[in-house]
Amino acid sequence: QVQLVESGGGLVKPGGSLRLSCAASGFTFSDYFMTWIRQAPGKGLEWVSYISHSSTYTNYADSVKGRFAISRDNAKNSLYLQMNCLRAEDTGVYYCARAYHSDSSEAGYWGQGTLVTVSS
Amino acid sequence: EIVLTQSPGTLSLSPGERATLSCRASQSVYSNYLAWYQQKPGQAPRLLIYGASSRATGIPAKFSGSGSGTDFTLTISRLESEDFAVYYCQQYGSPPLTFGGGTKVEIK
């Protein structure tokens, strides 16, 4: 079955950096778009970024453009999110998600999330 | 960026009642690439509907999606205790992808 396990969250000071990872299993990783979605405490969902099967296409929310970078390693079945210049408003649970279909980008399968806290 | 507005913010209903949730887009959603998700406290969201009206695997028939263009609806035919949760719509046809603010379905 599809499994997505995020890691790398934690407490970081404003202006700092963090790299999130998502380990995927149970499917052919290179066949699917992958996405990061976040949720601030007590708030709704916010789409952050996605990456296409072979990394040809990436896209970002305006709120993270220029600070975050998504990447993937298909040989390692892994997705990454490099987060730089972190701000308090970046605090939240970060979910990794796999597209439901191989040719689309809706979030069909989700990990359990990793908590990022940006605070001094 | 396409802005999705969900209404109402909170829906108070009794078990057995029908729930109708709305999602309105600021511009037409490409190919009706509109999804609905359910989230319960402390859990990751779960995909219910994709392509505006197709149920994801394992989603019971009491959940149905409809609509096109800018107006979409999620209907839960008869609410059961496990259906009380927060529901989000998302458009995935035009980057940046966007979510609506959510509708909380609570027990009356």
Side-chain angles (χ1 to χ4, degrees):
Chain A
Q1 71 281 21
V2 175
Q3 251 198 324
L4 300 167
V5 180
E6 302 92 339
S7 62
L11 175 63
V12 61
K13 289 181 169 53
S17 297
L18 214 51
R19 190 193 195 209
L20 305 184
S21 299
C22 172
S25 60
F27 63 100
T28 304
F29 183 71
S30 57
D31 282 352
Y32 294 89
F33 269 68
M34 297 295 295
T35 296
W36 288 101
I37 294 161
R38 69 184 181 184
Q39 187 168 35
K43 301 297 184 183
L45 301 173
E46 181 185 14
W47 178 84
V48 173
S49 178
Y50 73 39
I51 186 167
S52 61
H53 320 77
S54 54
S55 306
T56 306
Y57 303 109
T58 61
N59 211 287
Y60 299 89
D62 287 346
S63 58
V64 307
K65 200 172 292 184
R67 300 187 299 123
F68 290 11
I70 192 171
S71 62
R72 64 190 296 163
D73 185 335
N74 288 342
K76 294 183 177 179
N77 292 340
S78 293
L79 175 72
Y80 306 102
L81 186 68
Q82 178 66 44
M83 304 187 296
N84 299 327
C85 302
L86 283 161
R87 306 166 180 167
E89 54 265 36
D90 295 319
T91 293
V93 175
Y94 284 70
Y95 295 102
C96 157
R98 192 207 89 174
Y100 189 65
H101 295 107
S102 61
D103 59 350
S104 62
S105 55
E106 74 281 72
Y109 298 88
W110 298 62
Q112 281 306 299
T114 186
L115 177 62
V116 173
T117 303
V118 184
S119 175
S120 55
Chain B
E1 160 176 324
I2 296 178
V3 176
L4 299 179
T5 301
Q6 291 188 241
S7 61
T10 302
L11 200 50
S12 298
L13 295 168
S14 301
E17 289 194 293
R18 180 186 187 93
T20 303
L21 287 65
S22 172
C23 177
R24 180 161 292 177
S26 60
Q27 55 188 280
S28 187
V29 175
Y30 176 77
S31 289
N32 293 326
Y33 282 168
L34 193 287
W36 290 93
Y37 303 87
Q38 176 195 65
Q39 187 178 33
K40 297 179 182 178
Q43 296 184 16
R46 173 175 72 145
L47 176 67
L48 299 175
I49 301 288
Y50 64 91
S53 60
S54 298
R55 275 188 301 277
T57 302
I59 302 304
K62 62 181 173 181
F63 292 97
S64 63
S66 63
S68 64
T70 60
D71 287 303
F72 300 89
T73 300
L74 175 70
T75 301
I76 311 170
S77 58
R78 287 177 59 86
L79 283 165
E80 298 179 80
S81 56
E82 63 266 27
D83 302 328
F84 292 93
V86 180
Y87 293 83
Y88 296 94
C89 59
Q90 181 204 28
Q91 69 81 20
Y92 56 98
S94 304
L97 310 191
T98 48
F99 285 94
T103 291
K104 181 179 182 180
V105 179
E106 64 176 22
I107 300 176
K108 187 174 182 179

